[in-house]
Amino acid sequence: MTFFILLLIAFISIFSLPVILVQLQAKRLNAKITISEAFKLRASKSASEKLFKGLAIVQENNFNISLSDLETLHLAGGNPEKVMTALLKYRDIKSLSFQKLSALELAGLDYEASIEDSLKDKTLRIESLKIGQFVINYEAVFSNRIGLGLEENQNENLESKIIDRLTNFLMNWEGEDKLKMQHYILTNVLNVEYWDRILV
């Protein structure tokens, strides 16, 4: 009887030791996981230093991101620690999210450079644009959405959209009151809502 008890204890120890080691690894990296979570991570072979460091950032800063979210990113080939470090650094940017950063991470893009780029104001100038009887000078100061700064020829694309919109508007504009036309362009044609759409 004693032999079978010892055998059972040995079996349980061998079975549980790897799970306990996973939990200890997480603790060493300042992350807290349950035995159940350690067992799942062991079974999926997703326990890693990058995962636990990312989880530690989540727990220390009260991010609403689950261990499952981090594990999914890790299993897809992403770096949870890198994503969470960036999310912590730029947490004041409301448009930034774990999902958006994860997508950029998995795409292999330099999203930190993109974020830094998005924080800088940019100026778009259109000078002496002749449309019919009108000559338009237009200047706009804008900031990118996260990720948009990665696109090439961004200003050229925006300028083309603005010119097309102004052309369509002015070809149908009736009247010669320049102040009224200017006010209408700023409040209806190239207003904040329009810029929000083209910068998405």
Side-chain angles (χ1 to χ4, degrees):
M1 184 68 176
T2 303
F3 172 76
F4 287 109
I5 293 175
L6 291 175
L7 186 63
L8 180 61
I9 293 173
F11 176 78
I12 293 173
S13 298
I14 293 172
F15 180 77
S16 61
L17 181 59
V19 176
I20 294 172
L21 290 177
V22 169
Q23 194 173 35
L24 289 175
Q25 181 189 13
K27 185 176 181 180
R28 179 175 62 83
L29 297 169
N30 300 316
K32 299 175 183 177
I33 60 172
T34 64
I35 286 291
S36 174
E37 289 171 333
F39 177 79
K40 291 177 182 177
L41 291 175
R42 170 69 181 177
S44 63
K45 298 181 180 180
S46 56
S48 73
E49 183 172 313
K50 293 176 181 178
L51 175 68
F52 292 138
K53 284 186 175 181
L55 180 61
I57 295 173
V58 169
Q59 294 174 340
E60 290 169 7
N61 297 277
N62 298 314
F63 282 108
N64 186 26
I65 298 166
S66 69
L67 174 58
S68 178
D69 292 332
L70 296 173
E71 184 184 9
T72 299
L73 172 62
H74 175 65
L75 290 174
N79 184 336
E81 180 190 4
K82 183 181 176 183
V83 168
M84 289 312 308
T85 298
L87 194 58
L88 176 62
K89 182 178 180 180
Y90 301 106
R91 70 185 308 171
D92 291 335
I93 302 177
K94 302 302 181 184
S95 62
L96 196 60
S97 67
F98 175 77
Q99 289 74 19
K100 184 173 290 186
L101 277 181
S102 294
L104 294 172
E105 164 73 8
L106 294 175
L109 300 176
D110 185 0
Y111 49 85
E112 288 222 30
S114 176
I115 294 170
E116 289 294 338
D117 185 62
S118 75
L119 298 176
K120 301 173 184 176
D121 285 341
K122 295 175 178 58
T123 301
L124 175 68
R125 291 187 181 89
I126 298 174
E127 298 179 339
S128 302
L129 174 65
K130 184 171 177 56
I131 303 174
Q133 61 178 319
F134 302 104
V135 177
I136 301 294
N137 292 293
Y138 179 73
E139 179 176 311
V141 178
F142 64 95
S143 297
N144 292 337
R145 294 291 185 269
I146 303 302
L148 188 61
L150 298 170
E151 296 181 2
E152 296 181 358
N153 303 320
Q154 179 196 5
N155 266 31
E156 289 84 346
N157 292 336
L158 289 175
E159 182 175 337
S160 176
K161 290 180 180 180
I162 296 297
I163 291 175
D164 287 346
R165 189 165 175 85
L166 283 172
T167 300
N168 290 334
F169 163 69
L170 289 173
M171 293 299 289
N172 295 289
W173 176 259
E174 296 180 358
E176 298 182 358
D177 189 331
K178 294 181 179 179
L179 289 178
K180 184 178 180 181
M181 179 188 69
Q182 180 183 36
H183 177 74
Y184 192 89
I185 288 174
L186 294 177
T187 57
N188 293 276
V189 182
L190 301 178
N191 54 14
V192 174
E193 290 76 12
Y194 174 73
W195 274 95
D196 280 342
R197 289 200 304 275
I198 65 174
L199 288 177
V200 170

